[in-house]
Amino acid sequence: MKTSRILVAIFSYFIVFTSNAQNKVVINAAAAKDTINKNIYGHFAEHLGHCIYGGFYVGDNNKKIPNKNGIRLDIIDALKKLKVPVLRWPGGCFADTYHWKDGIGPKSQRPSMLNLWWGNVKEDNSFGTNEFLNMCEVLGAEPYLSGNVGSGTPQELADWVKYTSHPAGSSPMPELRAKNGRQNPWKVKLWGLGNEAWGCGGNMTVDHYADVYRQYATFMTDWNNSDGLYRIASGASDDDYNWTEVLMQKLPTKMFDALGLHHYSVIDWNKKGSSTEFSESEYFTTMQRALFMEELVTKHSAVMDKYDPKKTKSLSVDEWGGWYDVVKGTNEAFLFQQNTMRDAMIAGTTLNTFNNHCDRVKMANLAQIINVLQAVILTNEEKLVLTPTYHVMEMYNVHQNAVMLPLKVNSDNYQFEGKSLPAISASASRDKNGAIHISVTNIDASKEQKISINLGDIKTSSSSAKILKSAKLQDYNSFEKPKNIVPTAFSNYKINGNELEITLPAFSVAVIELK
Ligand code: AHR
């Protein structure tokens, strides 16, 4: 009897010990070979709600909000700190209704249109190509233009390429550019050929889109010369692997560089739920959707691998993020939502996925940068708030252009009502100065997690760390309390030889630097 009790005790200890020790990360720095393209930290700005108008652009004659040529200076300042590498514009669904020539020349002569997709509001075209590309120069961000393939013409798109990128004197388009005050081209490299061609971009079948793509791509350059352009085909929605398969089969290899992919973490398209007042059940489902990105990227990459084993083509996740109901009292079509610690968890886990798949994922664009969906900045007149998502992206920007260190994660479960998700996600990189950065998230809604990270042969003599955490998952930065959630120094870790032991609070994200 006594012996069996002892055995049970030993056995229980063993179970507890092993379950406590489940969060294991093993970094294999010797196997590092791929670079995390900084464009994985990209953003997206659409003519939607107050992303452009009342967001970036407050009007040329605005005396209330400090601006230069109508562009808000506090936004530029915050986005420079974020190191925004690339900005996609002007849509989204808007892109396939947009005729770029309406948005150039003297503003008083620009025609107005109705923004069909986003509330039928008046679009006066006061923010157009010159304004966007000049703003990208100020931001130090690479522009990514979404061409109108749904309702435009191949000629219109070809002209846009010439207007933005061809040298002076080469065709009538550069002359038009010079007339509008810009002699030298901006030289735009990244071009999207339509957006969501399977939906708002024309409701096309993939076979039809592949043919349309080939036609548009042909006239953007000549057949044998990519003109230095990087052409991105409108990619699949979520798990439509057939879309990726058909495009890989049908697009001639010299006519494209990347396929897009869109995935939103939405609970239910008919019942998205509040962005701030959500239950743990809603949180759990959101995280299920967010972690699905790992499977999506893996499986779309596997399809691409069949046709492109050397990975010369990339996957551009050019729309991703959380999507909830709009804040009460705001225009339904403007997609204005708050941003809580739940969004910080979406950002932390998704960026880890992109880092770990950087051999195939070379660009991603969070939807959207200001005042729309999972924004990094929210504005209300002259007030501005940096969201928890902003802080995660800033903490993680150390990974931009660093060499990814492959790792294996063995995670404990975050359990909720009989369902479970891995609590831990992680990614690691070595920057050009040799510093190592490890980003870790714990999505568990109530349990801290002890994580043991095996550093292998990484040598370290100093370390520092930052954490983003808060008392409640539903916490956010409001216009009244804009600094409610900010990154703080993190010290709950220790290094013993090549083992890094971390205790990460519930729903938090940390970045550790080792030198
Ligand atoms: O980001 C909002 C919308 O979501 C985009 O316009 C569209 O591409 C997607 O469906």
Side-chain angles (χ1 to χ4, degrees), residues 3 36 133 178 195 223 264 421 513:
T3 325
I36 298 172
L133 294 177
N195 168 75
W223 177 262
Y264 285 98
L421 289 172
E513 179 176 84

Side-chain angles (χ1 to χ4, degrees), residues 96-198:
D96 283 295
T97 64
Y98 183 61
H99 300 286
W100 68 270
K101 283 181 188 161
D102 293 346
I104 55 167
K107 293 195 181 184
S108 58
Q109 290 167 28
R110 296 185 192 178
S112 291
M113 66 187 276
L114 289 183
N115 190 332
L116 183 72
W117 291 107
W118 308 115
N120 262 316
V121 292
K122 185 176 163 190
E123 159 67 63
D124 68 3
N125 280 304
S126 52
F127 187 93
T129 301
N130 289 50
E131 289 76 22
F132 176 71
L133 294 177
N134 290 341
M135 184 178 86
C136 283
E137 282 185 342
V138 174
L139 273 177
E142 190 172 357
Y144 166 15
L145 296 183
S146 275
N148 180 348
V149 164
S151 70
T153 62
Q155 171 85 58
E156 185 182 11
L157 184 53
D159 281 351
W160 208 10
V161 174
K162 292 182 184 121
Y163 183 85
T164 57
S165 306
H166 281 201
S170 59
S171 76
M173 286 302 114
E175 273 167 35
L176 184 58
R177 183 182 68 223
K179 206 171 127 208
N180 290 333
R182 175 81 187 202
Q183 186 71 23
N184 295 323
W186 292 274
K187 284 201 180 292
V188 178
K189 185 172 149 204
L190 305 172
W191 291 88
L193 280 77
N195 168 75
E196 299 193 347
W198 40 264

Side-chain angles (χ1 to χ4, degrees), residues 41 348 351-352 392-399 439 441 509 511:
Y41 289 80
L351 292 169
N352 281 340
V392 173
M393 292 202 90
E394 193 189 18
M395 285 162 68
Y396 272 50
N397 70 20
V398 288
H399 290 302
S439 42
T441 61
V509 44
V511 175

Side-chain angles (χ1 to χ4, degrees), residues 127 212 301 306 355:
F127 187 93
V212 170
S301 299
K306 282 203 281 174
N355 286 346

Side-chain angles (χ1 to χ4, degrees), residues 30 48 115-116 227 234 252 277 324 425 433 454-455:
L48 193 180
N115 190 332
L116 183 72
D227 247 355
S234 166
E277 290 160 31
Y324 319 108
S425 97
N433 301 317
N454 184 291
L455 300 170

Side-chain angles (χ1 to χ4, degrees), residues 283-296:
Y283 169 66
F284 188 90
T285 308
T286 305
M287 292 319 298
Q288 239 173 354
R289 307 280 189 263
L291 296 185
F292 186 50
M293 185 66 88
E294 176 67 32
E295 179 174 327
L296 289 176

Side-chain angles (χ1 to χ4, degrees), residues 24-29 405-410 452-456 499:
K24 279 242 161 231
V25 177
V26 179
I27 300 181
N28 184 1
L405 305 181
L407 49 74
K408 282 219 160 61
V409 178
N410 185 7
S452 159
I453 303 185
N454 184 291
L455 300 170
E499 287 293 322

